[in-house]
């Protein structure tokens, strides 16, 4: 895979960069299938996520590599909350390939996103997922993230 990370450690988290976009796209397509999206368009996904790489003030994506293979990703978006009069970091996407689930990849991605948001001055990390995705909700809650 393009831009594969070395396997010196079991899970390695890196920020998405243009040379890693080809590693991300199959994961995005699997994520979209999970959420029952139709008409998945690789070029549209490529354009959408490439634009995010060049606009870090809007958000950031991180890729997880395990044994040199991209196996998960997260998307963190930055916005504002009028009610609380503060900036908010929202963990909008979290996906781990089926073969890597249960190995701590999701936890590492969330922890990394929370550190990244904190480093940028965001006090809270909120998350969004489907109401019936209990496994993801339990993971987020165990790490102290707040529901968006």
């Amino acid at each position: 895979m393009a831009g594969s990370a070395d396997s010196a450690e079991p899970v390695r988290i890196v920020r998405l960069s243009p040379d890693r976009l080809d590693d991300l796209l199959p994961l995005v397509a699997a994520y979209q299938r999970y959420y029952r999206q139709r008409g998945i368009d690789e070029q549209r996904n490529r354009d959408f996520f490439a634009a995010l790489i060049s606009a870090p003030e809007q958000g950031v994506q991180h890729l997880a590599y395990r044994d040199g293979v991209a196996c998960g990703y997260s998307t963190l978006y930055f916005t504002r909350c009028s009610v609380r009069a503060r900036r908010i970091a929202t963990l909008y996407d979290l996906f781990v390939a089926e073969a890597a689930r249960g190995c701590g990849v999701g936890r590492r991605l969330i922890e990394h996103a929370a550190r990244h948001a904190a480093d940028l001055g965001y006090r809270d990390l909120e998350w969004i997922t489907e109401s019936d995705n209990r496994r993801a909700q339990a993971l987020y809650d165990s790490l102290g993230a707040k529901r968006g």
Side-chain angles (χ1 to χ4, degrees), residues 1-6 14-30 42 46 62-66 68-73 95 97:
M1 289 186 163
S4 292
D6 69 53
V14 299
R15 186 175 181 157
L16 182 65
S17 57
D19 63 316
R20 295 182 187 277
L21 197 53
D22 286 334
D23 289 353
L24 172 71
L25 294 176
L27 295 169
V28 168
E42 184 174 329
R46 179 179 299 280
H62 292 101
L63 278 169
Y65 288 88
R66 188 165 181 254
V69 176
C71 62
Y73 78 97
F95 180 77

Side-chain angles (χ1 to χ4, degrees), residues 2 36 43 45 51 65 74 77-78 80 88 96 109 115 138:
R36 298 170 297 284
Q43 188 59 52
N45 285 340
Y65 288 88
S74 65
Y77 288 117
F78 308 121
R80 295 175 177 268
I88 296 174
V96 176
L109 281 163
R115 276 193 308 275

Side-chain angles (χ1 to χ4, degrees), residues 39-92:
I40 295 168
D41 182 326
E42 184 174 329
Q43 188 59 52
R44 184 178 62 224
N45 285 340
R46 179 179 299 280
D47 294 343
F48 182 84
F49 293 110
L52 189 58
I53 293 170
S54 63
E57 70 282 357
Q58 293 179 9
V60 64
Q61 288 187 293
H62 292 101
L63 278 169
Y65 288 88
R66 188 165 181 254
D67 297 326
V69 176
C71 62
Y73 78 97
S74 65
T75 306
L76 190 59
Y77 288 117
F78 308 121
T79 189
R80 295 175 177 268
C81 176
S82 302
V83 174
R84 297 192 325 226
R86 67 166 36 152
R87 299 179 314 142
I88 296 174
T90 301
L91 185 59
Y92 195 83

